[in-house]
Amino acid sequence: MDRVHAETASTLDTQRSALAEAVIARHYDQQPGLAARYGPAGRDRCLEDAAYHLTYLSESVAAASPVLFADYIRWAAVMLASRGIPLHDLAAHLAVLRSVVETGLPPKPAHLVTTYVDGGIAALAEPPADLPTLLAPDAPLADLAQQYLAAVLRYDRQAASRLILAAVADGVPIIDIYLHVFQRVQREIGRRWQLNQVTVAQEHYCSAATQLIMARLYPAIFSGERRHRRFVATCVSGELHELGIRMVSDIMELHGWDSVYLGANIPTPAIIQTLREQPAEVLAISATMPFHVRAVAALIAAVRTALPSHHLPILVGGYAFQHRPDLWRQVGADGSAVDAAAMPGTVDRLVGGGPVR
Ligand code: B12
């Protein structure tokens, strides 16, 4: 990250609340109809949205990646439109944001930031792309995934659990259940949430049910031969999406590794303490939200400083890294893998396979 981008991003971070307030005040001034249309609660939501846009904006500036902000705006357009907020309101909001940045920041950072906002405004000129289902009928285990989704959406985790246990008893490999049922269904739920077709409660229920059912597979996962090699798996601080890194840990267990799985939202000092107490051969860090990428870079730097005696191989992954193939290098990691299935091979290439006993 160069200094200009880093400093501009940090200015946006420190001024986020003030800028968000200024955007909403100016937007409501310019369009008095908004107050009647969305009511007082609507104003609070707009303020939250403004802060959210600014969070992504600063992450994009920090990464020197205008595409990141443009992608986010396309995502936000679909999410807001499905909740009755038309595209032109978002476009007007961005135009106001642009003017607030232009007048509220010193000229140099203002110039840099407005080019990113312009990229977001331009992204709105193309109609938002369709969001195809993640459960295509020709995908592997498509029927099972459909049935599993239907079960969790009607809050029937017993039925969902029976489906999975029966499939495993029939010989379906656990890795296939993980990737083609759990992962796909979780992402499909996310798509439907974005389109306002499932409730937050359904999404939470599905995640909890899937975690419970994963735990029921543990006798099979933890019973294999061991390599007597350890790795630590964690989400970066602030990150609440833990299923992906949990799948990564389980698949490594299936490959004979001992995982120290820490889960969601772990503070950096706790991760460093764990690495001191549980010496590991690999550290795996997960981030889903694109605005956690800087936190991943900071965590890697902190680990390197705290454990200077050897170069601990560090892998990063998760949704934030999915469509940005070189991002793992930028954050100072040693590699990445696209999913849990690719993890063991990646680790073997990095630190050697070693015997299974
Ligand atoms: C469940 C869920 C949640 C749950 C998480 C519960 C839990 N206990 O984990 C909760 C409710 C907490 C949540 C919160 C939020 N969420 Co959410 N969430 C999801 C959802 C639906 C599923 C996530 C999941 O389980 N995926 C399945 C796993 C298996 O996939 P994965 O994480 O990609 O992991 C695989 C690979 O990436 C890789 N991998 C992962 N980690 C690592 C690490 C290493 C080292 C390696 C090598 C590989 C690797 O291997 C994994 C297994 O194959 C996604 C949709 C989606 N597309 O993922 C949205 C989604 C990620 N969430 C989203 C949003 C917006 C939010 C919130 C901001 C919502 C809000 N307004 O509060 C918050 C942010 C919270 C935060 N600060 O982290 C958006 C993000 C959009 C964007 N462009 O930024 C998504 C995409 C939904 C959507 N379509 O709009 N969410």
Side-chain angles (χ1 to χ4, degrees):
M1 202 198 302
D2 72 46
R3 230 190 59 220
V4 174
H5 285 84
E7 284 174 6
T8 305
S10 145
T11 307
L12 280 174
D13 289 340
T14 48
Q15 300 199 19
R16 185 183 306 136
S17 305
L19 288 169
E21 288 282 357
V23 170
I24 297 309
R26 200 175 292 180
H27 196 181
Y28 270 64
D29 255 12
Q30 283 179 7
Q31 272 181 264
L34 288 177
R37 184 140 46 102
Y38 296 126
R43 196 180 197 282
D44 292 345
R45 295 299 299 271
C46 288
L47 194 58
E48 272 172 35
D49 286 350
Y52 211 59
H53 302 333
L54 284 158
T55 302
Y56 273 87
L57 187 57
S58 83
E59 195 67 41
S60 308
V61 171
S65 167
V67 172
L68 183 60
F69 187 64
D71 282 351
Y72 163 72
I73 290 299
R74 277 189 211 98
W75 169 84
V78 173
M79 199 269 288
L80 293 171
S82 66
R83 287 158 177 82
I85 297 168
L87 217 62
H88 60 78
D89 274 359
L90 177 58
H93 180 112
L94 289 179
V96 175
L97 170 61
R98 191 188 192 289
S99 70
V100 165
V101 164
E102 219 168 14
T103 50
L105 296 185
K108 267 195 177 157
H111 178 71
L112 181 63
V113 174
T114 51
T115 60
Y116 282 67
V117 179
D118 287 343
I121 293 171
L124 287 181
E126 307 145 25
D130 276 349
L131 289 184
T133 174
L134 278 300
L135 297 183
D138 54 350
L141 301 180
D143 285 350
L144 180 60
Q146 282 288 2
Q147 291 172 43
Y148 183 83
L149 175 67
V152 287
L153 286 182
R154 58 171 198 271
Y155 298 100
D156 189 352
R157 70 169 176 232
Q158 299 297 346
S161 179
R162 278 196 300 274
L163 282 168
I164 298 302
L165 295 180
V168 172
D170 275 355
V172 178
I174 286 176
I175 181 73
D176 289 355
I177 299 279
Y178 270 38
L179 288 190
H180 302 307
V181 182
F182 296 154
Q183 177 170 294
R184 229 183 259 282
V185 166
Q186 283 293 104
R187 290 179 179 175
E188 175 65 11
I189 297 259
R191 184 186 80 92
R192 293 189 190 191
W193 173 81
Q194 190 180 349
L195 293 171
N196 204 18
Q197 293 169 354
V198 298
T199 62
V200 169
Q202 282 172 309
E203 181 264 294
H204 280 41
Y205 182 89
C206 180
S207 298
T210 297
Q211 285 178 295
L212 187 89
I213 297 166
M214 282 163 74
R216 299 195 66 180
L217 300 177
Y218 279 10
I221 290 175
F222 289 87
S223 62
E225 290 176 307
R226 316 306 304 160
R227 289 174 200 267
H228 305 288
R229 303 180 73 176
R230 184 191 290 136
F231 83 110
V232 169
T234 186
C235 287
V236 71
S237 174
E239 181 60 66
L240 300 182
H241 298 86
E242 64 191 336
L243 263 86
I245 189 70
R246 184 163 171 185
M247 285 194 194
V248 165
S249 296
D250 291 356
I251 298 307
M252 287 296 283
E253 286 280 348
L254 266 177
H255 280 259
W257 279 71
D258 299 326
S259 62
V260 179
Y261 163 73
L262 303 182
N265 187 22
I266 309 294
T268 295
I271 297 170
I272 289 171
Q273 192 183 345
T274 307
L275 290 167
R276 286 206 171 105
E277 291 169 2
Q278 303 280 321
E281 287 185 54
V282 176
L283 170 64
I285 303 171
S286 186
T288 294
M289 299 312 288
F291 53 74
H292 287 152
V293 168
R294 267 183 292 171
V296 172
L299 169 59
I300 293 175
V303 169
R304 302 263 188 247
T305 308
L307 307 169
S309 56
H310 69 302
H311 183 92
L312 175 68
I314 300 178
L315 291 172
V316 294
Y319 184 85
F321 292 90
Q322 294 265 297
H323 303 291
R324 301 161 71 191
D326 273 339
L327 190 58
W328 62 267
R329 277 184 221 281
Q330 280 184 41
V331 297
D334 299 292
S336 184
V338 72
D339 59 24
M343 178 72 175
T346 308
V347 169
D348 284 357
R349 278 192 296 282
L350 207 60
V351 294
V356 180
R357 284 171 274 141

